[in-house]
Amino acid sequence: MDPLTALLEGPRAHGAFLLRSVLRPPWSLRIEDEAPLTVLAVVRGDAWLGPAADAPVRLGAGDVAVLRGPDPYLVADDPATPPQAVIQPGQVCVTPDGGHLADLTDLGVRTWGSGLDGPTVLLTGTYPTVGEVSRRLLAALPPVVTAETADDPLVALLAAEIDRDTPGQEAVLDRLLDLLLVRVLREWLDRPAAPSWYRAHSDPVAGHALRLLQDQPEHPWTVAGLASATGVSRAALARRFTDAVGEPPMTYLSAWRLALAADLLRQQPDATLTAIARQVGYRSPFTLSAAFKREYGRSPQHYRLREPA
């Protein structure tokens, strides 16, 4: 399982929050929901997107932005428009001074704003959780990734489905949002700024080794065994892998196994530590527990229960 696939495992399992916003200028929203990942699509009109650390970015109809949380950001009709609403964790909406919103109200199924005839329509999808495996990809992302999707039907499909209230609708929306997310991330990953471990997949030696480690973490890999599987010498494998991925193969494998274990602890609450250790390539739950605590600062049990160290 590659990191891009892993990124979607959490959202598919837990469901994403989706909202259509229909707005009349002047409007400005400060988002403080602390979501780890957000997808924002402009269906009609335009908007300015201003992460706290960067200059505002203008989005037109058909543009999509992926935002890496949990830092707050501003989306507005104009960068100079002061915020009229603050979106807090749990999708609690208040005025900047904490009062009740009057100008922006519920307009129907998954829809809110200042009126259905507003010239600006935004679609927002937030992923409430992500796993440890996918954090490797998220950590490589800039605060905002944008893409033009004017010729892509996904935004139109999502816009057509978001205000429907029929059986199975949440699953439909999750799939569409996932596809839109992959569409944007794939475009970004094809750029020179993509992380080295992603670009390494195109290397015939390092890419082959990387896929073996990702797909078979339970195998008792050694540098010699990995070199044999890829048809090169140990020295050649170590050099090619480290140059392409940015770290030696066994270092990558250790981090990969522990990230998989972390996700399995929460995805499989009834699984024993022994079973999880076996799945990710540790000989015993004791060696997994010791390595896990070194990496995450708390025991697997505390991590599973979301308890502090």
Side-chain angles (χ1 to χ4, degrees), residues 130-133 135 258-259 261-267 292 296-309:
V130 295
E132 292 300 331
V133 168
R135 288 188 197 281
L258 290 173
D263 288 352
L264 289 171
L265 284 166
R266 292 180 175 173
Q267 293 168 2
F292 193 95
Y296 295 108
R298 49 183 164 165
S299 70
Q301 181 69 7
H302 286 166
Y303 183 90
R304 171 176 269 170
L305 299 175
R306 291 177 168 81
E307 293 178 354

Side-chain angles (χ1 to χ4, degrees), residues 17 19 31-36 86-94 126-128:
F17 174 83
L19 182 69
I31 315 299
E32 300 178 355
D33 60 4
E34 300 179 3
V86 178
I87 315 300
Q88 300 175 339
Q91 303 305 320
V92 175
C93 306
V94 296
T126 60
Y127 291 83

